[in-house]
Amino acid sequence: MGNARDFFALLKPRVMSLVIFTALVGIAVAPGGIHPVIAFTALLCIAVGAGASGALNMWYDADIDAKMARTANRPIPAGRVTPSEAAGFGAILSVFSVMTMGVLVNWVAAALLAFTIFFYLVIYTMWLKRRTPQNIVIGGAAGAFPPMIGWAAVTGGVSIESAVLFLIIFMWTPPHFWALALFRNEDYRKVGVPMMPVVAGEKETRRQIMLYSLALVPVTLLPGILGFAGALYTGACAALGAGFLALAFRVWRTEAGPAQDKAAKGLFAYSILYLFLVFSLLLAEKMLGLEGIGARALVPGL
Amino acid sequence: MTEENDEGRRHEIETPRWTEEQLKKRRQRNLAIAWTLAGLIALFFVVTIVKLGGNVANRPI
């Protein structure tokens, strides 16, 4: 029988932290004001909704989790929580988070949150994950929604700017997860999850990582081009993006073996820091009031 | 009388026996649920006050 801590572990707290942070940035950069209590409520609902979908994912994937070293100690495969307890827990939290968001914040944000949970559970976990190497490309949308939900919590709608925030995480997900899949290839092969390296081979995966990285960096510059981020963001993002491309290039050019694992681990670790910094920059500019200041104001004579 | 005894025995067999460890975990879970519900009530109360704002006092008596 599980204790409260086991149920908390079902919420995937580490994934939740990145979700909370990107949602917070969505709330902060959205135009117009929001009362801090309402903003806190929206963040709480997003966090609980994300956690709920994590619990439902662990319920559905308990069979393969038990066979992979990385996930074997999760509460269900370890026998501390029964599958039906996890399913009930996830379902109740899903309903509560969506209804609370609707009643206390607004129904657009609630609908987006409900769609995110549906997308992660049904589209990604149940449908795509075990069927196609494109699983994390399309499934990545679920992880990309939080800043959009945060934006909708403030404005009550969806806009091109919030779609750009979505797109940044969406384009970031494939190189991030394929880097992980390169050095965790054996785990996925063992349980038959068709990750890119399992199905298309490591060489093709390295090439795809490079291609997605080339697409990702320009997307991160869009906030500056669209005018809701300033020169500080754009300049720093270009530098961070150059680092991302350099690491992706190293992965692309290495041959399979220990060198490839090392390069993939490097890109994987950097990718987490990268996403965190890109969103931190947006937040910092907003807090310092620099988001409307373009390169001309910062560099005299430009 | 015999039937009653049988009924009683069957009932005894079906009742799960909780170990000290299980009882402790159940207590922890119950407390976690209680705190969560209390938090939810507090949240709804605070948000209601925030949304109504000054209008709480602004009504004919």
Side-chain angles (χ1 to χ4, degrees):
Chain A
M1 182 201 264
N3 59 17
R5 197 175 300 140
D6 293 321
F7 281 86
F8 185 69
L10 284 177
L11 303 177
K12 297 193 177 178
R14 268 194 304 173
V15 176
M16 203 199 260
S17 59
L18 202 59
V19 166
I20 293 175
F21 179 65
T22 55
L24 172 71
V25 175
I27 290 174
V29 301
I34 183 170
H35 193 285
V37 172
I38 309 285
F40 168 79
T41 308
L43 269 183
L44 187 69
C45 292
I46 294 169
V48 173
S53 56
L56 292 168
N57 166 275
M58 284 199 210
W59 157 69
Y60 192 83
D61 276 347
D63 58 333
I64 53 176
D65 279 354
K67 295 177 197 156
M68 292 200 289
R70 188 171 65 93
T71 52
N73 198 32
R74 283 180 173 175
I76 303 175
R80 296 192 300 273
V81 173
T82 67
S84 57
E85 279 176 329
F89 182 63
I92 287 171
L93 289 187
S94 299
V95 172
F96 263 77
S97 60
V98 171
M99 295 310 281
T100 306
M101 180 75 102
V103 172
L104 300 186
V105 184
N106 67 57
W107 287 101
V108 175
L112 280 172
L113 181 61
F115 184 69
T116 305
I117 297 170
F118 165 80
F119 201 92
Y120 188 64
L121 177 66
V122 178
I123 307 288
Y124 171 68
T125 305
M126 292 182 174
W127 185 32
L128 299 172
K129 184 173 177 179
R130 303 186 193 203
R131 280 192 178 80
T132 160
Q134 296 301 314
N135 50 12
I136 53 108
V137 178
I138 304 162
F145 275 119
M148 212 175 195
I149 305 172
W151 183 286
V154 179
T155 64
V158 176
S159 68
I160 184 84
E161 291 93 338
S162 70
V164 166
L165 297 180
F166 169 92
L167 209 55
I168 291 173
I169 305 179
F170 186 74
M171 297 308 293
W172 166 87
T173 308
H176 167 76
F177 271 111
W178 285 334
L180 173 75
L182 275 179
F183 63 87
R184 291 277 187 188
N185 199 358
E186 264 319 299
D187 261 359
Y188 288 114
R189 191 191 302 276
K190 209 162 64 183
V191 296
V193 172
M195 291 298 278
M196 185 65 88
V198 178
V199 177
E202 295 179 342
K203 192 176 177 196
E204 176 62 15
T205 307
R206 296 198 304 269
R207 196 178 72 90
Q208 295 272 347
I209 286 177
M210 189 70 230
L211 289 176
Y212 272 93
S213 303
L214 284 169
L216 165 68
V217 175
V219 167
T220 62
L221 301 178
L222 283 176
I225 295 166
L226 290 172
F228 68 101
L232 172 69
Y233 170 86
T234 308
C237 253
L240 287 169
F244 198 102
L245 287 176
L247 288 172
F249 184 79
R250 197 167 65 128
V251 171
W252 182 39
R253 301 313 297 173
T254 50
E255 293 298 321
Q260 175 196 281
D261 281 8
K262 193 170 167 236
K265 277 179 188 169
L267 177 63
F268 179 74
Y270 183 80
S271 68
I272 297 171
L273 181 72
Y274 175 80
L275 190 70
F276 176 74
L277 287 176
V278 167
F279 275 80
S280 295
L281 282 163
L282 280 172
L283 188 64
E285 269 199 347
K286 183 74 181 185
M287 289 175 84
L288 297 170
L290 296 173
E291 74 276 12
I293 300 176
R296 272 169 207 279
L298 286 185
V299 186
L302 191 73
Chain B
M1 190 72 176
T2 329
E3 253 177 43
E4 253 178 43
N5 278 347
D6 279 356
E7 193 62 35
R9 208 175 305 137
R10 206 175 307 140
H11 185 69
E12 204 177 295
I13 292 164
E14 283 170 6
T15 307
R17 296 201 174 278
W18 300 93
T19 64
E20 272 304 309
E21 181 66 16
Q22 285 175 323
L23 285 171
K24 195 177 147 205
K25 285 180 174 175
R26 186 174 67 175
R27 206 158 39 240
Q28 280 180 351
R29 297 203 317 196
N30 289 346
L31 278 173
I33 293 170
W35 281 113
T36 307
L37 284 176
L40 198 64
I41 292 164
L43 182 72
F44 269 75
F45 178 75
V46 172
V47 172
T48 305
I49 297 300
V50 164
K51 287 202 167 193
L52 291 176
N55 295 324
V56 175
N58 188 17
R59 64 193 165 97
I61 297 172

